[in-house]
């Protein structure tokens, strides 16, 4: 039986830290579903379709990884796919506090769910999607922090935002 895990997140945008976790997880599990969340509380820079496409392009070389989007509770997404393992990347102790709470809530909603915590590689622990967007919005270089296709999309997105007249 194939062991499948879900790696959920908003991935707005996906960073090299996210890529690192997905790639390493694919060495542990038979298949990884990168699940791009539609979060109504967040105002994303990229549409759900753009995020899914960027991730598919960035991870297209790895046939063990598929990309899907979802709306609603993660536990429902997991149940629909018959998956009981969630992958979460940790950068710092503050991430663990939040992720521990989410793990506890997920297991309360569905006791069979297990969370597989992975430490982000040392070279990526300081990267977050929020920081990437902030740097890029001010014209700073995020080369080497995101996949090349994401770099192009960030340049395009911020150029189009600057071109808009308010």
């Amino acid at each position: 039986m194939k062991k499948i895990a879900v790696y959920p997140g908003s991935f707005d945008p996906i960073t090299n830290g996210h890529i690192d976790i997905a790639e390493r997880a694919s060495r542990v599990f038979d298949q990884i579903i990168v699940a791009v969340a539609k979060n109504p509380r967040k105002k994303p820079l990229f549409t759900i379709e753009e995020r899914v496409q960027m991730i598919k392009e960035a991870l297209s070389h790895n046939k063990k990884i598929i990309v899907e989007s979802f709306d609603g509770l993660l536990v429902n997404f997991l149940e629909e796919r018959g998956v009981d393992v969630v992958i979460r990347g940790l950068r710092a102790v503050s991430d663990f506090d939040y992720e521990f709470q989410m793990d506890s809530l997920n297991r309360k909603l569905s006791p069979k769910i297990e969370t597989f915590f992975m430490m982000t590689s040392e070279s990526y622990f300081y990267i977050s999607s929020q920081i990437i967007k902030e740097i890029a919005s001010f014209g700073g270089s995020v080369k080497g922090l995101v996949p090349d296709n994401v770099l192009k999309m960030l340049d395009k997105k911020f150029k189009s935002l600057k071109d808009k007249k308010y």
Side-chain angles (χ1 to χ4, degrees):
M1 187 163 124
K2 283 175 73 170
K3 194 62 181 167
I4 302 170
V6 170
Y7 180 28
S10 55
F11 304 109
D12 186 40
I14 193 162
T15 70
N16 285 344
H18 295 126
I19 298 290
D20 174 63
I21 294 290
E23 293 281 2
R24 289 174 38 228
S26 76
R27 295 193 305 256
V28 177
F29 296 93
D30 298 316
Q31 184 176 52
I32 303 297
I33 302 171
V34 175
V36 184
K38 296 177 188 174
N39 187 337
R41 295 174 315 207
K42 290 185 176 180
K43 174 123 173 65
L45 176 63
F46 294 102
T47 67
I48 192 79
E49 295 81 13
E50 289 171 323
R51 288 180 275 153
V52 166
Q53 187 58 38
M54 285 188 289
I55 298 166
K56 283 182 177 180
E57 287 174 20
L59 292 167
S60 64
H61 63 279
N62 190 325
K63 303 305 177 208
K64 292 175 79 174
I65 299 174
I66 62 172
V67 183
E68 298 181 21
S69 64
F70 76 100
D71 194 2
L73 291 175
L74 176 60
V75 294
N76 294 340
F77 180 81
L78 293 165
E79 281 182 14
E80 289 167 7
R81 279 148 189 81
V83 177
D84 57 8
V85 177
V86 176
I87 297 168
R88 299 302 296 173
L90 299 174
R91 292 171 298 186
V93 174
S94 58
D95 284 348
F96 180 77
D97 290 341
Y98 173 77
E99 295 299 345
F100 181 75
Q101 184 179 26
M102 293 307 298
D103 171 65
S104 297
L105 288 169
N106 285 337
R107 281 192 289 134
K108 178 72 173 166
L109 295 170
S110 182
K112 66 182 180 179
I113 293 175
E114 293 294 340
T115 301
F116 188 86
F117 294 107
M118 295 184 75
M119 295 303 300
T120 301
S121 293
E122 184 179 304
S123 52
Y124 303 119
F125 77 93
Y126 60 92
I127 300 174
S128 72
S129 295
Q130 187 60 42
I131 290 170
I132 295 297
K133 289 185 285 193
E134 187 171 338
I135 292 168
S137 74
F138 288 110
S141 175
V142 293
K143 186 167 179 59
L145 304 178
V146 296
D148 288 341
N149 67 310
V150 174
L151 186 62
K152 290 175 188 166
M153 289 293 291
L154 282 163
D155 288 343
K156 182 179 173 183
K157 185 69 74 167
F158 284 114
K159 181 183 180 335
S160 71
L161 291 174
K162 288 177 186 171
D163 290 344
K164 286 185 179 179
K165 304 224 186 277
Y166 294 97

